[in-house]
Amino acid sequence: MANARGKGRSWAQLVSCCVLCAFAFALPLPCFGVFISPMVASFQSSVTDVNLYFLFLNSAAVASCAFGTRLLVRHMRATVAACSAAMTAGYLLLAAFPSVAMVWAAGIVAGVCYPLCSSVLVPIVINQWFEKGQGTLVGVSFSCVGVAGIAFGPVLAAGISLLGWRVTLAAAALAMELACGVVTAFLLRPASKSARAAAPDAAADATSAEHAVASASSAAAPPAYFGATFAFMAVASVLCGVMGDMNTQINAIAQLSGFDPAAAALAFSCISAGLLVGKVALGLLKDRRGALAAIAFGCFLGMASFTCIGFAVVARSAGMLYVGAAVAGICTCLGTVAPALLSAEAYQGADRVRAVGHATAFCNVGMALGAPVFSLCFDVAGTYLPVVFGLCPVALCTIVTTGACLRGARHATAKPSTNGR
């Protein structure tokens, strides 16, 4: 009976992760892209002015990802509750007092808060509660961002057409707070200390894990945390973040390239469907073939999809746009899942927990760098084509740096045993 109760609690945590990703991740990032064009028209500003929301969001998220892991391990429920409330307040203030400056302020608040409700939280919870299939379960959780995009994209677009972006944004923020509040109050729970000790990959308290590592024999000691492995992981994560910007920019790319709002909303739904498929598929592939195979598969599809989107813009072909967006989602989901895939294979124990936070921070660095490049490209050149086609070499470099990261990790791990002989 106790065993069944424990399994039930484990699956309740998976449900929590799914709901939090669907609301606390989807609204601040991919779904917010639906509001960009209406805000540009409302403020009579440049695309870059409004799009700086993503720069401020991802810049704030860098610090949140880097330093928030310990906070989640120690005060998980309180942190999620406070962060969801703060995000809701930020969006309500933006709806009540609309201006470009308020867009930036909402981005800063969301950037500090959303990772602690989703992208950093999910790998910690999954590692605490599940011993097997962690890559798949992380992928399932993050795939709910795609589900939310498919479901919410057309609803938000219709709401903006009927009620305006301010009312629609306020309603979306209140829905996010309701969902996050219910999950925090009734479902989300950190694993007990005994449960964490039973799982070899559990996200245990970082301090106690470090003491355990220090007391181990030198022959069994893990490689240094900072080194070539960390450097290549950082670069690969930044590149994944740059590609992940396509998720938030696809609606603006479509509308500002001559497609009507309905076609742009459908393109957003298509990329969200790709996110849904990609996160589960790449998680499964990681569990069966390793992180390099999963990331390389996503990147090769990305090169094909970015090319397809570029030609769709040139030819004004809605069909090509939809196909390219759907396939692109399988690649651009790496902006979310790559930290979990890389850290799970490159690090162990407490270092893995640290790596998730740091890799997610670097993904946000990439998103922060990429978002203004998208908009500046359009403002300067009058087209998104250079940056869309430019994502192809970014995907290729991601494969190379991922391979270097994982080879470095295997080499560093093998060194102690060699020395021990």
Side-chain angles (χ1 to χ4, degrees), residues 5-353:
R5 190 180 299 120
K7 288 183 179 179
R9 289 175 179 171
S10 297
W11 292 108
Q13 304 319 303
L14 178 61
V15 171
S16 298
C17 291
C18 291
V19 174
L20 289 171
C21 284
F23 287 89
F25 194 119
L27 178 60
L29 277 166
C31 289
F32 196 84
V34 177
F35 295 95
I36 296 297
S37 293
M39 285 182 179
V40 170
S42 175
F43 301 144
Q44 295 294 302
S45 65
S46 69
V47 177
T48 301
D49 285 343
V50 177
N51 219 36
L52 284 175
Y53 164 88
F54 294 106
L55 173 64
F56 285 109
L57 178 142
N58 290 305
S59 298
V62 171
S64 180
C65 294
F67 302 107
T69 304
R70 187 180 294 273
L71 190 62
L72 282 172
V73 170
R74 293 180 175 178
H75 309 288
M76 181 179 291
R77 297 175 65 203
T79 300
V80 173
C83 287
S84 63
M87 280 194 292
T88 300
Y91 290 128
L92 291 177
L93 287 172
L94 171 58
F97 307 102
S99 69
V100 172
M102 283 300 299
V103 173
W104 299 347
I108 292 171
V109 173
V112 171
C113 296
Y114 94 85
L116 304 184
C117 297
S118 55
S119 54
V120 176
L121 173 73
V122 167
I124 292 174
V125 173
I126 296 300
N127 286 339
Q128 282 187 359
W129 285 93
F130 295 91
E131 295 183 30
K132 297 179 180 179
Q134 293 176 356
T136 301
L137 295 175
V138 167
V140 168
S141 300
F142 284 136
S143 71
C144 292
V145 179
V147 174
I150 296 170
F152 300 157
V155 173
L156 292 174
I160 291 169
S161 298
L162 293 174
L163 305 172
W165 70 265
R166 295 170 63 184
V167 174
T168 304
L169 178 61
L174 291 173
M176 177 184 69
E177 175 59 19
L178 177 62
C180 293
V182 170
V183 165
T184 305
F186 299 107
L187 290 178
L188 184 65
R189 296 289 185 277
S192 64
K193 290 183 179 180
S194 59
R196 294 182 208 179
D201 292 329
D205 181 90
T207 304
S208 61
E210 286 166 4
H211 286 309
V213 169
S215 64
S217 66
S218 59
Y225 178 74
F226 294 106
T229 297
F230 181 87
F232 283 118
M233 180 184 74
V235 175
S237 298
V238 168
L239 296 175
C240 287
V242 171
M243 292 189 292
D245 276 321
M246 180 62 77
N247 301 324
T248 62
Q249 302 299 310
I250 188 66
N251 189 280
I253 288 173
Q255 288 199 48
L256 296 174
S257 297
F259 296 95
D260 60 45
L266 186 52
F268 176 73
S269 293
C270 288
I271 204 168
S272 298
L275 292 172
L276 167 62
V277 173
K279 288 172 182 176
V280 177
L282 297 185
L284 281 167
L285 191 56
K286 183 268 171 188
D287 286 338
R288 295 183 180 181
R289 300 293 183 183
L292 179 57
I295 292 174
F297 175 72
C299 288
F300 282 125
L301 289 181
M303 287 185 274
S305 65
F306 301 142
T307 304
C308 185
I309 292 172
F311 282 118
V313 169
V314 172
R316 294 291 193 275
S317 170
M320 287 180 67
L321 176 67
Y322 302 150
V323 172
V327 179
I330 301 175
C331 170
T332 56
C333 72
L334 289 171
T336 305
V337 301
L341 301 181
L342 281 170
S343 61
E345 196 159 313
Y347 292 99
Q348 299 177 355
D351 282 346
R352 181 176 298 176
V353 179

